[in-house]
Amino acid sequence: VSLCCPCAWLASPLPESLRLSSPGKAMLLALSSLATVSSQAAPPIPFEGLPGEFQRVVTQGRPGAAHTAVPGVVLTHTKGNSTLDSSTLLLDFEGSSSKPTRWEVDEASVPAWISVFPTSGVVPMGVDEGPLFTVGTSSMGVAERTEPYAAAVNVTLVSDAVGMTTIAVPILLIVAPATTVQHSMWGEARRRTDSIYDCVRPTSPPPPIELAVGAEHDVFFTACDSEGMRVSHMIPSEGLRVANELRHGGLVAQAGPQAFTVLVRDSASGAHDDMAVVYASDGRYKATVLAPLVGAHALLLLLDGALVDTRTIIA
């Protein structure tokens, strides 16, 4: 039996209901339309209509959490702490298993942004429900993007009572990190790949920005996460709110930092003025600055009142 993958939905853009701007509940409901199963040469059948005594595959979250019959796995990765999201898949039987069921994950179908453990095992006979494997988020190096990461992990089930069946389990990963004071900065992030931009501050102070008094000048700054990677959202983050709602349950009114502020402070008097800030794109912001008086001024970038980065203006 060849392992199958629902490549049609992976190759096309995700539907609007799965985008981070939509409520988290819609993401869960939409999974039911993505899951498919193949049984040898038979056409796909519903995920919750497995052959024989196999009834369905269900997911279970953290230890002690009630499991759900959502046909697929939604994981969240918010970074900034040591807790990694995970979900365990369980094989649910109609009644109890009459024979042992051997299962194996096609490791070639597992993307780099998740971990799967174990990759094979046996569900014994005489059980109503048996664990398969746990899917977890990767710990580092996964950049935020506006749509969830999507894949299908292929699992083959073999039982003397049912035969051989291959399941393609849809996996969605929402990467929604908080913007941090530590790595956000004046200037542009450095491109590493098409999807990853690193926030690298200069090792020595950049030259002063020279302005005529009262003349406006645009200066860009970048919002970055705890790994020093450019984020893909403006703050406050709707994606972070949705990720926290999915992880903790219930409505989350706000999550993460709420606003950047840019000030020009006169070095002689200490007086300061707020500058206009607009969101550009992909974690980039534009500040329109001006110097009201002749002399040296500090250009301050703050996140919820905490100092992020400083530049110098000479007028």
Side-chain angles (χ1 to χ4, degrees):
V1 176
S2 61
L3 299 180
C4 73
C5 173
C7 298
W9 67 265
L10 292 177
S12 59
L14 288 173
E16 187 62 33
S17 60
L18 292 179
R19 296 175 185 270
L20 292 187
S21 58
S22 303
K25 184 177 181 181
M27 296 184 191
L28 294 173
L29 294 176
L31 275 168
S32 61
S33 67
L34 300 183
T36 60
V37 175
S38 71
S39 179
Q40 302 202 16
I45 58 177
F47 193 92
E48 292 185 322
L50 302 186
E53 64 187 22
F54 298 154
Q55 184 175 17
R56 59 183 181 171
V57 173
V58 297
T59 59
Q60 182 176 30
R62 293 167 188 77
H67 61 256
T68 173
V70 172
V73 178
V74 176
L75 300 173
T76 61
H77 188 26
T78 56
K79 304 188 181 183
N81 57 53
S82 58
T83 303
L84 298 177
D85 201 8
S86 64
S87 184
T88 299
L89 286 171
L90 308 171
L91 180 58
D92 193 19
F93 292 88
E94 186 175 355
S96 60
S97 56
S98 62
K99 299 287 185 180
T101 301
R102 301 183 303 278
W103 61 268
E104 184 174 2
V105 172
D106 174 17
E107 296 187 46
S109 69
V110 180
W113 38 266
I114 60 171
S115 61
V116 171
F117 183 83
T119 56
S120 64
V122 177
V123 177
M125 63 181 295
V127 299
D128 299 332
E129 190 175 76
L132 298 176
F133 56 90
T134 297
V135 181
T137 59
S138 295
S139 59
M140 294 182 63
V142 184
E144 181 186 25
R145 64 187 194 187
T146 54
E147 292 185 351
Y149 291 78
V153 172
N154 298 323
V155 187
T156 298
L157 308 173
V158 181
S159 166
D160 289 342
V162 179
M164 182 180 288
T165 300
T166 299
I167 308 170
V169 181
I171 310 290
L172 295 183
L173 172 63
I174 302 169
V175 179
T179 298
T180 66
V181 170
Q182 179 184 5
H183 292 289
S184 298
M185 64 178 197
W186 285 114
E188 300 281 5
R190 182 183 302 168
R191 178 179 174 179
R192 189 199 314 176
T193 68
D194 288 343
S195 60
I196 298 177
Y197 287 76
D198 295 315
C199 301
V200 181
R201 295 187 182 185
T203 55
S204 58
I209 300 170
E210 297 184 1
L211 295 177
V213 173
E216 293 185 343
H217 180 71
D218 292 336
V219 184
F220 284 85
F221 63 90
T222 305
C224 309
D225 67 21
S226 61
E227 292 185 282
M229 304 168 91
R230 189 179 75 184
V231 302
S232 295
H233 66 267
M234 66 179 296
I235 56 175
S237 169
E238 174 66 6
L240 185 59
R241 185 196 65 77
V242 168
N244 277 275
E245 183 176 322
L246 287 171
R247 174 174 287 188
H248 302 296
L251 294 176
V252 178
Q254 62 183 37
Q258 300 298 295
F260 280 107
T261 306
V262 172
L263 302 177
V264 169
R265 185 178 64 197
D266 181 69
S267 298
S269 67
H272 62 77
D273 295 284
D274 285 283
M275 300 292 111
V277 175
V278 296
Y279 184 67
S281 65
D282 297 323
R284 300 168 59 250
Y285 294 77
K286 181 180 72 174
T288 300
V289 304
L290 59 83
L293 300 170
V294 173
H297 306 268
L299 179 60
L300 308 178
L301 174 61
L302 301 99
L303 179 59
D304 287 350
L307 182 62
V308 174
D309 201 1
T310 306
R311 289 200 63 180
T312 300
I313 295 176
I314 301 295

